[in-house]
Amino acid sequence: MKYIPKAITENVNVTKVNHLQEFFVLIGGILGSFIIIYLVLGLTLDKVIEKMPAKLERTFSNLFSQAYGFKKTLPIQEQAAQNLLDQLVERISPKDPSGYAVHIVKEPVVNAVALPGGNIVLFSGLMEQVKSENELSMVLAHELGHFAHRDHLRGLGRGAVLVLLSSMFLGMDNSLTNFLMNILVTADLKHSREQEMMADQFALDLVQERYGHVGGAIDFFERLREKEKLPHFLAFFATHPHQDDRVHLLNQRIKNKGYTVGEIIAFHFTEEEKK
Amino acid sequence: MEQLLQIFLFIVTIAVAYALGSIVESEHYVSIEKREKDCLSLPVVTSYKIEEKDNILEARLVYGSVVISVDYFKRFLAVLRNFTGGRLTAYESLLDRGRREAILRMKKKAQELKADIVLNMRFETFPIGGLSSAQPGASNCFEILAYGTAVRLKS
């Protein structure tokens, strides 16, 4: 037997494919199905939450509110804010004005949160910034707007969908799950910004109803705008709308509805009361 | 903001890994093809018998081993493919390169022994290291061992 050396030129063991193309097809398909599942589940939850009877919501919310355990840290400020809130609530639900409670938490954060169970948390950082009663009413009315639109429950519902999806796919691979979750969270921020704008509009109407004018309502956002150094293009990645857009939209509504600017009631605490 | 940064970093990593992986792979193939041509005169077969069995001067075990890893881009591509199922083409070139490299190393050893033929050539493939805890059984790193019997004949 004679051996004749011969080189094999073609390679059957390696498929000639464009890996980059394969990558885009796969990531597009998987991400697409993720988003579809998320949207379908999210929209279903939205519908369920809208149809949820108030009584069931109360029971559900009480489960959460018990877990917070708020302390009365700043009683004087808290009482003042509670009075403002009660006056606002009287306008929207005169039959049940006691459903909402204000809590002040000592944190140097300029923010407020609507929690299930009708709890509104104001951070002391925000209280420092507030200059008039009208401003604080606007902030409280904004949070009431979230309650009215049931955004606090929606947020929980969507959070649950995210947790469900991530735990379903976590077994797959951490790097992939992280990547997909990051994209989903970013995509959902638009929804979050829309909720904020809706709450703003609600708040403006409520403040108009309460005071008969909208003086001071936008001041707080105006002041935030001056502090905000975030470039406009990054607004896509924020949970809240860009302050420029916010102020612009509010001003537009004031113009369209013909709201007027009246006298602002000053709001001020002595150093003693701040303790 | 944080999400944006993470997505951005991930895309950069994938792009860099793709570029580097492609360069390394094509250079490796150039080297493999050149060396294969150089040692073409030494036959390697899987049979364990030869006709000239009375003519054997010396028989020795020869082996060539290589440890090879897949790049980050292909690793991620494989993760995606694992989700949908199907042929894992991303790993094909990795194992092909590994096997050919292992044979080349084995042949080099046989040439040093002045062998005329390598009989009974076999492969072993072991996944080593790089085991992902989230995905038991998946590996990104392999050792490929080619071994056989180098035979020197009486001239």
Side-chain angles (χ1 to χ4, degrees):
Chain A
M1 195 171 75
K2 187 156 167 42
Y3 172 66
I4 304 152
K6 197 178 157 197
I8 297 163
T9 45
E10 82 270 25
N11 191 350
V12 290
N13 293 319
V14 180
T15 318
K16 276 202 170 57
V17 285
N18 186 345
H19 284 132
L20 218 49
Q21 190 191 337
E22 192 187 353
F23 173 78
F24 284 119
V25 169
L26 283 173
I27 199 127
I30 293 175
L31 194 61
S33 43
F34 249 64
I35 289 174
I36 289 170
I37 295 173
Y38 182 65
L39 284 182
V40 167
L41 281 179
L43 287 177
T44 316
L45 266 177
D46 275 2
K47 283 270 166 283
V48 170
I49 283 164
E50 267 167 35
K51 298 257 157 67
M52 194 194 244
K55 205 179 159 192
L56 185 64
E57 189 197 331
R58 225 3 98 79
T59 332
F60 182 64
S61 300
N62 282 343
L63 288 175
F64 283 91
S65 52
Q66 277 163 9
Y68 299 130
F70 294 110
K71 285 181 213 145
K72 285 220 176 291
T73 42
L74 298 156
I76 297 170
Q77 291 194 30
E78 215 165 276
Q79 192 52 52
Q82 183 70 50
N83 290 343
L84 284 182
L85 180 69
D86 289 345
Q87 282 161 6
L88 287 172
V89 175
E90 257 173 49
R91 313 266 152 183
I92 45 173
S93 60
K95 283 178 199 159
D96 182 22
S98 60
Y100 299 94
V102 176
H103 308 274
I104 296 179
V105 172
K106 267 195 174 171
E107 280 280 344
V109 194
V110 186
N111 201 2
V113 196
L115 294 175
N119 292 301
I120 295 175
V121 174
L122 298 174
F123 292 101
S124 54
L126 181 134
M127 293 302 284
E128 295 276 324
Q129 296 279 325
V130 166
K131 295 233 165 63
S132 73
E133 192 188 305
N134 308 57
E135 282 175 34
L136 190 59
S137 287
M138 180 71 183
V139 172
L140 291 169
H142 174 95
E143 300 308 325
L144 285 175
H146 281 315
F147 283 122
H149 301 142
R150 298 193 167 183
D151 292 334
H152 57 303
L153 289 178
R154 264 178 240 268
L156 283 174
R158 286 188 176 241
V161 173
L162 263 188
V163 169
L164 182 78
L165 273 180
S166 65
S167 59
M168 255 166 75
F169 293 103
L170 206 68
M172 195 162 68
D173 187 274
N174 277 326
S175 63
L176 178 64
T177 316
N178 282 346
F179 179 66
L180 293 175
M181 286 305 140
N182 275 336
I183 290 189
L184 272 191
V185 169
T186 312
D188 201 46
L189 291 177
K190 188 178 179 293
H191 180 250
S192 160
R193 288 195 300 274
E194 279 169 6
Q195 289 185 343
E196 294 300 328
M197 299 225 194
M198 294 289 284
D200 276 355
Q201 313 256 298
F202 179 92
L204 192 71
D205 295 349
L206 189 55
V207 167
Q208 163 73 24
E209 224 181 296
R210 161 79 177 77
Y211 294 98
H213 67 87
V214 293
I218 305 184
D219 292 6
F220 185 69
F221 298 121
E222 290 267 19
R223 228 170 301 130
L224 280 186
R225 173 164 75 164
E226 280 160 31
K227 288 199 175 162
E228 191 177 66
K229 294 281 189 294
L230 196 68
H232 209 275
F233 74 94
L234 283 178
F236 180 67
F237 299 98
T239 53
H240 282 61
H242 197 276
Q243 298 297 346
D244 281 352
D245 298 338
R246 222 171 164 170
V247 171
H248 176 72
L249 276 175
L250 285 173
N251 276 326
Q252 225 171 23
R253 193 172 179 87
I254 292 172
K255 223 170 123 188
N256 289 345
K257 293 249 172 180
Y259 291 159
T260 51
V261 175
E263 202 183 330
I264 297 166
I265 306 158
F267 193 66
H268 173 73
F269 292 104
T270 58
E271 285 306 310
E272 278 291 300
E273 286 169 330
K274 280 183 185 171
K275 273 168 195 160
Chain B
M1 266 323 286
E2 200 193 321
Q3 276 93 22
L4 168 70
L5 198 69
Q6 281 191 14
I7 293 170
F8 177 72
L9 276 179
F10 180 78
I11 290 169
V12 169
T13 320
I14 285 280
V16 170
Y18 176 74
L20 287 179
S22 306
I23 294 169
V24 169
E25 181 167 298
S26 66
E27 278 184 357
H28 192 198
Y29 266 124
V30 168
S31 150
I32 286 173
E33 273 158 20
K34 186 187 170 292
R35 283 179 293 150
E36 274 178 348
K37 226 171 250 175
D38 291 346
C39 60
L40 205 57
S41 56
L42 176 68
V44 176
V45 295
T46 51
S47 69
Y48 56 91
K49 281 180 181 164
I50 44 168
E51 287 167 15
E52 305 98 324
K53 66 177 178 194
D54 302 324
N55 209 13
I56 293 173
L57 187 71
E58 194 187 357
R60 291 268 288 273
L61 169 75
V62 282
Y63 62 88
S65 141
V66 59
V67 178
I68 194 160
S69 166
V70 74
D71 63 66
Y72 188 75
F73 169 77
K74 286 191 171 173
R75 202 175 300 171
F76 189 71
L77 188 57
V79 170
L80 292 177
R81 185 47 89 191
N82 274 347
F83 186 69
T84 62
R87 284 187 302 164
L88 208 60
T89 52
Y91 276 26
E92 283 177 353
S93 65
L94 169 86
L95 289 162
D96 181 60
R97 279 159 68 195
R99 297 217 160 101
R100 286 164 81 173
E101 182 70 41
I103 291 181
L104 281 169
R105 290 182 182 181
M106 183 196 70
K107 272 185 152 186
K108 197 177 172 218
K109 188 77 191 160
Q111 278 175 330
E112 280 169 18
L113 296 168
K114 297 195 169 56
D116 295 296
I117 188 165
V118 178
L119 297 179
N120 200 18
M121 199 280 291
R122 294 289 183 268
F123 278 125
E124 297 287 349
T125 307
F126 311 100
I128 56 163
L131 281 165
S132 152
S133 57
Q135 203 184 355
S139 181
N140 311 310
C141 190
F142 300 92
E143 187 208 5
I144 295 158
L145 174 73
Y147 61 96
T149 310
V151 170
R152 215 173 129 192
L153 301 170
K154 289 172 194 159
S155 42

